Amino acid sequence: MAENGVRPINRPTNPMVTPLLTDLYQFTMAYAYWKAGKHLDRAVFDLFFRKNPFGGEYTIFGGLDECIRFIANFRFSEEEISFLRSAMPACEDGFFEYLRAIDCSDVEVYASPEGSVVFPKIPMMRVEGPVAVVQLLETPFVNLVNYASLVTTNAARHRFVAGKSKILIEFGLRRAQGPDGGISASKYSYIGGFDATSNVAAGRLFGIPLRGTHSHAFVSSFMSPDEIVDKTLQSCDGSIICEDFVSLVQTWLSKLQLLDSTNGVFGETNQSELAAFTSYSLAFPRNFLALVDTYDVMRSGIPNFCAVALALNDLGYKAAGIRLDSGDLAYLSIEARKFFCSVEKEFGVPGFGKMLITASNDLNEETLDALNKQGHEVDAFGIGTYLVTCYAQAALGCVFKLVEINNQPRIKLSEDVTKVSIPCKKRIYRLYGREGYPLVDIMTGENEPPPKVGERILCRHPFNESKRAYVVPQNVEELLKCYWPGYSNKKREELPTLKETRERCLRQLAQMRPDHVRRLNPTPYKISVSAKLYDFIHFLWLNEAPVGELQ
Amino acid sequence: MAENGVRPINRPTNPMVTPLLTDLYQFTMAYAYWKAGKHLDRAVFDLFFRKNPFGGEYTIFGGLDECIRFIANFRFSEEEISFLRSAMPACEDGFFEYLRAIDCSDVEVYASPEGSVVFPKIPMMRVEGPVAVVQLLETPFVNLVNYASLVTTNAARHRFVAGKSKILIEFGLRRAQGPDGGISASKYSYIGGFDATSNVAAGRLFGIPLRGTHSHAFVSSFMSPDEIVDKTLQSCDGSIICEDFVSLVQTWLSKLQLLDSTNGVFGETNQSELAAFTSYSLAFPRNFLALVDTYDVMRSGIPNFCAVALALNDLGYKAAGIRLDSGDLAYLSIEARKFFCSVEKEFGVPGFGKMLITASNDLNEETLDALNKQGHEVDAFGIGTYLVTCYAQAALGCVFKLVEINNQPRIKLSEDVTKVSIPCKKRIYRLYGREGYPLVDIMTGENEPPPKVGERILCRHPFNESKRAYVVPQNVEELLKCYWPGYSNKKREELPTLKETRERCLRQLAQMRPDHVRRLNPTPYKISVSAKLYDFIHFLWLNEAPVGELQ
């Protein structure tokens, strides 16, 4: 296939993504096509979804990179052929010879760039090729796109609520739906606007920044500061060695207790916690971040943290901050901030009041929104379960529908009009208005002249006769680009890096008219067909639908 | 480690399951332990969840097999060590030398057998070993158990509603949360009581029976029976060759139309559908199963299917059945059954009325229940999205808590009493009553004498003083078995085959008192601690909790 000097295409991230990762019926159909001599019929399929997730009015397209990696490496191994032979004993040998020979050189894939804002009914991908081969791609493509798009959209929605200035860290590996539920979640959360992940495997595979400190178990694994054997710590600039850092911490804790006597917040702090913090700071003096809620945030965690942070400060180190993982995060973050500020003032430690406060514990869009409304002092959020499992809506319903075969347009009817597919090999354009916002996406037949800047065009709702509008676009963008040219002589679009995809996502979201992306009652973005395509859809529909007979 | 002549342990199913599949903080903690010389402290962790999913009162434990595979192969590659070195630049070289050397030979894992019915707060696994190593296992273990247990439980609940006599097929690959969300779903749905999957990769990896026929696209890829080139079909016994099977089908369709003229259900059937069915039957004459709802079930799909099935019958073949994928499944299945019965009677085809009816289309517990209440004629259900994404509750909250270190019991406190962990290395027993049902699970300290059959024992709620009951067990079962003996001289339990695990699951569920497993208002199963453990928990709690000061 044409490479045109662009970057080579890697294997799928998950080695389990092979041509067997599909539904059996793709193979039984392939056999029936083959047996009927129909397997080379040229088919065109659209990949799209019908409804935006999470009650929103937009979706971010994810998973394209993995789809292209998949088809670039699409080949059956001998072992896979043997398995298929055993699973389909009724099939003739010639069929397995055929399978042994196929790859995706004769397939063409057109798609919106990954990280694009996309809308219902508008194909995100169009796949053309021999019908038997393209059918085999259906399940893996839909599998690779569905969750990817869902979790990217979920991440973008969390970013939207949290605001641009907050640090968002994906924490979901342990609650994710299996190992690569976790790994994909890290990847696509990053595209959707997260800053970092706790998942080391994702850090290695994708270069996503990693974050992590310690858990409650670390805290409770210590008994008391007495068990710390090596108490020495060299100062940040290497000039002095503190021989007994543990005592230095104790001294600071006493000073804090005096300071506190006016406020009366804490008495004795927990000694196993103090030991754990001290020990952790000895290991990471340059990056001391403590989980402060194992026993009691304000009466133990915060003063213990401050004692260690102030001792570190004496040696020229700057502590990083705290993490809150339970309780009233709004209240606790505000109280913690106050305490940090009073420490800054009392002991003259510049910047101590600006200590990073991270919050976690079952956060989601709603709790972020509630925190914003209450007011809080959190700088960074660690988000797990609700982000990675897409708890609010655990599936996106992407489908893969035949729209043309051997140049014959095909329509899939349904009792439910929202499930009727839009036939024909199509082109998709996004039309922009005066203020630079996208106004409407329009689908046209492949050979219709494209919409032109400054020229009025009629955009029709595909199924609702009365919904139509004239648009004079200020800018016209064709959405589907060629990512896999097959034997066509088109240029293959370069697959962008993860960072580039993330930037596209953030840029595209910033470009949307605000009412389309807001959380409450967002305005639906308009999708449409050309007048010509509208007429053709309805002609074909009448042609295919049986005429009922009332009795 | 001791192998004791049992079956060897394979690698994890997903090659991405390596020691890097963990949270960064497990490594930062490991470093802090190492730096403090504490990394070899002997720690005991419990893996458990706090609440049953899906509003039910039971959970099925899944994922153990993958956890044991993981630790049996736990080793850092050089490349992984290099990555960690770059990700943790502040750490000393000695730490990476330490990581390079570790494996899980010094770790012990005790667990309930996979496929067991398990309950909140009762550890499903207990993991002992050097604290730094066991911490590294936390994230992968929880990841491997959480979704596995969730989807096994979900499958068991679907089986419960569907009833024992129905065939249940997992259809979820395309909507699953990523590639191995799909593959794991197939595996664990099978354990939970499903009969088959559409997922070919899962069929190959686990030997799960595969099912699949054709899609709507297959139907609409045909235009008319004229395009069928090879129309010959040999009879089932090979005695005759039908030269024009297409005409035979057409003849039967005409006869059906005459039969129908009394009922007036259909006029002209869809020709592309007829062509697709005929073509599919030519490929799979022994296993003809047709998707009948592409155009109109009763006016086109069913008569087209019957025409092909009757033509096959002439040649000695028995058609398999139909699949319904939209519309009112209760009504359509009943109408289809009636039609099949009238064909059986009219044309004297024995068994035609018993044709298999499969239903799919966004099925879940509720829709299965509604179908049962309405009455239906469906024999097999294909269940996808709601099963594999666990749509009703997309995550199970398994946690991994430190309960002892260097023989010192540890407790994790929380403002929320349901989050307080139960300290100590424990033994777990299931006590059975007279009728053979499990009555209560009881946790005791490791060295307490075990409950004895026929001897009265006090079972206490771990946190609610007033909830306690005497039990005289008729049978006592110790739940945690040794699946990884480390350097202990215990015998390693054999990992059962997938089929054995499935049988255990079905057997255990059948053994539960019905009110614990019913869908509506199930009775909570009792979990408890011994009197001695109760006292110790509350002693430790008072010891660790700070005393408040009201102002």
Side-chain angles (χ1 to χ4, degrees), chain A residues 512-524:
Chain A
M512 293 298 296
R513 212 174 66 201
D515 59 315
H516 294 310
V517 293
R518 70 185 172 208
R519 277 191 77 226
L520 282 181
N521 298 320
T523 314

Side-chain angles (χ1 to χ4, degrees), chain A residues 282-332:
Chain A
L282 286 167
F284 294 102
R286 283 181 177 75
N287 195 18
F288 173 57
L289 199 150
L291 175 63
V292 293
D293 69 337
T294 304
Y295 299 100
D296 187 303
V297 173
M298 293 313 297
R299 287 188 295 188
S300 184
I302 295 286
N304 278 339
F305 166 78
C306 288
V308 176
L310 287 163
L312 285 173
N313 182 66
D314 283 350
L315 300 173
Y317 296 105
K318 208 172 156 325
I322 59 164
R323 179 160 71 94
L324 299 165
D325 189 42
S326 60
D328 181 336
L329 300 174
Y331 169 79
L332 290 172

Side-chain angles (χ1 to χ4, degrees), chain B residues 280-418:
Chain B
Y280 195 78
S281 75
L282 286 167
F284 294 102
R286 282 180 177 75
N287 195 18
F288 173 56
L289 198 153
L291 176 64
V292 294
D293 70 335
T294 304
Y295 298 101
D296 187 304
V297 174
M298 293 312 299
R299 287 187 295 189
S300 185
I302 295 285
N304 278 339
F305 165 77
C306 289
V308 176
L310 287 163
L312 285 173
N313 182 65
D314 283 349
L315 299 172
Y317 297 104
K318 207 171 155 330
I322 60 163
R323 179 159 71 94
L324 299 165
D325 189 42
S326 60
D328 181 336
L329 300 175
Y331 169 80
L332 291 171
S333 66
I334 289 167
E335 289 301 304
R337 180 72 68 212
K338 277 190 210 158
F339 195 82
F340 294 150
C341 290
S342 73
V343 168
E344 170 165 352
K345 204 176 139 198
E346 187 69 24
F347 301 113
V349 188
F352 203 96
K354 294 208 173 61
M355 200 63 78
L356 187 85
I357 301 179
T358 302
S360 51
N361 189 27
D362 284 348
L363 296 174
N364 60 22
E365 275 193 68
E366 279 65 43
T367 49
L368 291 179
D369 190 49
L371 282 170
N372 289 343
K373 283 173 181 151
Q374 289 166 73
H376 65 83
E377 285 288 340
V378 177
D379 305 298
F381 293 102
I383 308 183
T385 313
Y386 290 91
L387 173 68
V388 306
T389 66
C390 299
Y391 206 90
Q393 180 182 327
L396 179 67
C398 276
V399 294
F400 191 77
K401 294 290 170 194
L402 180 72
V403 294
E404 196 171 294
I405 189 160
N406 293 338
N407 299 314
Q408 297 288 321
R410 303 306 284 156
I411 191 167
K412 154 85 177 77
L413 301 183
S414 173
E415 302 274 311
D416 181 356
V417 69
T418 65

Side-chain angles (χ1 to χ4, degrees), chain A residues 382-393:
Chain A
I383 307 184
T385 313
Y386 291 90
L387 173 68
V388 307
T389 66
C390 298
Y391 206 92
Q393 181 183 326

Side-chain angles (χ1 to χ4, degrees), chain B residues 524-535:
Chain B
Y525 179 83
K526 288 191 178 52
I527 64 107
S528 67
V529 294
S530 68
K532 201 169 162 191
L533 184 56
Y534 179 90
D535 290 340

